[in-house]
């Protein structure tokens, strides 16, 4: 009954029964394989050796270039409580995951949100919801490996990469988890801009679990 009263509607085409219609999918441009740091071509999205820092992810896979079609979908998902969109987004991301990322001895995680922002401002963490749906579709474990201990400014409001890094510095704290049977962690997020969030989260994970290989999968690059 609920779906008849409030059907799924594509925000781009106003067509019913899907949040992401075939027409919208045709207007999403697949991202080129690049190194997330220098943005130059790199097979399978691997981080160039010369670009690597002590806490750089091994690779950051980005599904699409950010455009108005994707922007409209993410606005509904992130700010208008259309959480169901995550199921269709995860289905799309699953295709990219299986092309570029490992499935054995692997767990997914997400970019955590500070409790004040999660429970009193946004009411939910879109990265967590996206990771939950993707983990279910891939039949992989989801681990909440880090928590955010500092209520930092939203990264979208900070233009320069160095300032983004300073904003996030020591803002994550690793949880005491037994991950001895896990070799790979894949961080799931909706958008990447400079990669500073992924780097700080990788740093947090590596400090307590140095044996892990860290990868990331994002829907788009802004």
């Amino acid at each position: 009954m609920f779906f008849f009263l409030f059907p799924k509607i594509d925000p781009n085409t106003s067509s019913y029964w899907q949040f992401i219609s075939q027409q919208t999918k045709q207007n999403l441009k697949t991202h080129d394989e690049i190194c997330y740091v220098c943005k130059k071509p790199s097979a399978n999205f691997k981080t160039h050796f010369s670009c690597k820092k002590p806490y750089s992810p091994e690779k950051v896979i980005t599904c699409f270039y950010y455009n108005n079609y994707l922007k409209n979908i993410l606005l509904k998902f992130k700010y208008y409580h259309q959480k169901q969109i995550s199921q269709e987004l995860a289905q799309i991301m699953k295709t990219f995951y299986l092309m570029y990322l490992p499935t054995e001895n692997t767990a997914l995680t997400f970019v955590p949100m500070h409790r004040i922002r999660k429970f009193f401002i946004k009411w939910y963490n879109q990265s967590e919801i996206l990771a939950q749906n993707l983990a279910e579709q891939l039949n992989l474990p989801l681990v909440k490996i880090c928590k955010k201990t500092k209520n930092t400014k939203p990264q979208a409001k900070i233009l320069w990469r160095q300032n983004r890094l300073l904003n996030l510095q020591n803002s994550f704290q690793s949880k005491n988890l037994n991950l001895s049977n896990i070799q790979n962690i894949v961080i799931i997020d909706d958008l990447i801009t400079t990669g500073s969030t992924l780097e700080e989260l990788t740093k947090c994970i590596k400090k307590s679990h140095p044996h892990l290989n860290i990868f990331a999968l994002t829907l788009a690059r802004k």
Side-chain angles (χ1 to χ4, degrees):
M1 184 63 178
F2 175 82
F3 292 106
F4 287 101
L5 292 174
F6 304 100
K8 297 178 181 179
I9 301 175
D10 186 320
N12 292 298
T13 64
S14 298
S15 54
Y16 286 84
W17 315 121
Q18 283 185 304
F19 287 116
I20 310 173
S21 66
Q22 192 60 36
Q23 182 180 341
T24 291
K25 289 178 182 177
Q26 290 171 354
N27 283 282
L28 299 180
K29 184 183 178 185
T30 303
H31 206 291
D32 292 325
E33 296 179 10
I34 63 169
C35 164
Y36 84 95
V37 180
C38 66
K39 303 178 187 177
K40 293 179 180 178
S42 180
N44 298 316
F45 292 95
K46 287 184 179 179
T47 306
H48 289 145
F49 181 79
S50 57
C51 293
K52 271 193 175 183
K53 302 170 187 176
Y55 298 111
S56 295
E58 299 294 322
K59 60 171 79 170
V60 178
I61 291 84
T62 302
C63 302
F64 301 107
Y65 286 96
Y66 189 72
N67 62 15
N68 284 332
Y69 285 88
L70 201 49
K71 178 182 178 181
N72 291 334
I73 293 166
L74 289 177
L75 283 174
K76 289 289 184 182
F77 174 42
K78 295 173 70 170
Y79 302 110
Y80 293 91
H81 302 277
Q82 297 287 336
K83 299 178 189 177
Q84 285 179 293
I85 294 177
S86 65
Q87 297 171 4
E88 294 181 32
L89 291 175
Q91 188 65 48
I92 292 171
M93 293 178 79
K94 178 183 176 182
T95 302
F96 288 85
Y97 187 103
L98 294 174
M99 286 174 62
Y100 295 107
L101 291 164
T103 54
E104 292 186 6
N105 307 115
T106 300
L108 306 188
T109 192
F110 53 89
V111 178
M113 186 178 287
H114 191 271
R115 62 184 182 277
I116 291 177
R117 183 165 174 79
K118 180 177 179 180
F119 295 113
F120 297 100
I121 299 175
K122 288 199 67 174
W123 301 350
Y124 61 98
N125 180 352
Q126 74 275 353
S127 296
E128 182 176 2
I129 294 171
L130 201 55
Q132 286 172 345
N133 278 279
L134 188 57
E136 186 176 316
Q137 292 183 27
L138 290 165
N139 195 27
L140 291 174
L142 178 69
V143 293
K144 299 181 180 181
I145 194 169
C146 291
K147 63 180 179 180
K148 194 169 187 184
T149 55
K150 287 170 61 178
N151 189 22
T152 57
K153 294 179 182 178
Q155 289 288 87
K157 295 183 178 181
I158 302 173
L159 296 178
W160 304 110
R161 174 178 169 81
Q162 192 59 36
N163 291 338
R164 284 171 173 255
L165 288 168
L166 289 173
N167 182 52
L168 287 171
Q169 195 169 38
N170 300 319
S171 62
F172 298 118
Q173 181 179 317
S174 180
K175 296 184 179 181
N176 186 22
L177 301 178
N178 181 8
L179 299 176
S180 57
N181 61 330
I182 298 294
Q183 295 178 2
N184 310 300
I185 289 287
V186 181
I187 304 168
I188 305 300
D189 202 8
D190 55 337
L191 291 175
I192 176 175
T193 304
T194 64
S196 53
T197 301
L198 297 176
E199 287 175 2
E200 189 65 25
L201 193 54
T202 299
K203 177 181 175 182
C204 174
I205 296 170
K206 281 282 195 178
K207 279 186 173 179
S208 55
H209 305 284
H211 72 284
L212 292 173
N213 301 310
I214 312 296
F215 307 91
L217 175 64
T218 69
L219 188 64
R221 180 150 200 156
K222 194 172 181 180

